Amino acid sequence: RGRLAEDGSVPERYPLREGPSPGYLERTEWNARDSDGTLILNVGPLTTGSLYTEKMAKRHQRPCMVLQLEKTRDGEEAITAGLEDVRRWMRQHKIRVLNVAGPRETKTPGIYAEARAFLTSLFKSLYEQEDHAQRRVGALFLLLAAGRLS
């Protein structure tokens, strides 16, 4: 409740439906349950929140992919391989509503910028795809990121 986020509250421009609980656990479960699949962007071993997210995706029989961002740091080829792995996974599982999760910036400094850069590349590449459904997912993300969708 209260559009709770680690750094304050989620801006009104992001459409969301709040649950009755003020905590993160219910929201995490509902995000996993209500999506077509969960992508966890991580560095190192999964910790508490990300482990719980993975557990909830499995509980609700939703596909879950963990991408270790450190594997995408070795230049353009590594980034391209990571992007293709995620695109392939999304096509295979027909992902249209994607739950993106990962550790908090305060627990993994630098993860926000790294995850944002990866997601921007991912959704730009989805937008450029021939597949209409994936193109729509990419377009929606780019509009949200630009603050043009509310």
Side-chain angles (χ1 to χ4, degrees):
R1 305 233 29 97
R3 302 178 71 88
L4 183 64
E6 183 181 34
D7 59 349
S9 62
V10 177
E12 291 292 329
R13 72 175 183 251
Y14 298 110
L16 57 86
R17 187 178 65 230
E18 291 189 275
S21 171
Y24 289 105
L25 295 178
E26 180 181 71
R27 178 174 72 184
T28 298
E29 180 173 4
W30 286 17
N31 286 344
R33 178 197 69 194
D34 296 344
S35 68
D36 295 324
T38 296
L39 173 64
I40 300 173
L41 300 177
N42 197 55
V43 175
L46 293 181
T47 56
T48 54
S50 298
L51 274 173
Y52 184 74
T53 300
E54 183 182 50
K55 178 181 176 181
M56 291 301 100
K58 289 177 181 178
R59 174 183 288 174
H60 293 285
Q61 300 177 346
R62 298 293 193 266
C64 184
M65 178 180 187
V66 177
L67 179 72
Q68 295 295 339
L69 287 172
E70 65 266 25
K71 292 182 180 177
T72 66
R73 293 178 184 158
D74 295 331
E76 202 60 38
E77 285 182 26
I79 293 169
T80 301
L83 291 170
E84 185 51 40
D85 288 346
V86 174
R87 286 192 304 257
R88 186 179 314 108
W89 173 79
M90 289 180 70
R91 279 191 306 271
Q92 176 186 354
H93 295 286
K94 298 178 175 71
I95 307 288
R96 288 198 172 90
V97 176
L98 178 65
N99 178 34
V100 179
R104 299 172 187 215
E105 176 72 16
T106 54
K107 294 189 177 184
T108 308
I111 190 102
Y112 174 81
E114 201 167 352
R116 183 178 174 94
F118 183 84
L119 288 170
T120 299
S121 294
L122 173 66
F123 290 117
K124 280 182 180 178
S125 73
L126 289 174
Y127 181 75
E128 295 164 358
Q129 295 285 309
E130 295 295 322
D131 180 303
H132 180 69
Q134 286 200 338
R135 182 180 172 97
R136 190 171 53 188
V137 169
L140 286 172
F141 173 80
L142 294 172
L143 287 171
L144 280 170
R148 295 187 187 144
L149 207 87
S150 55

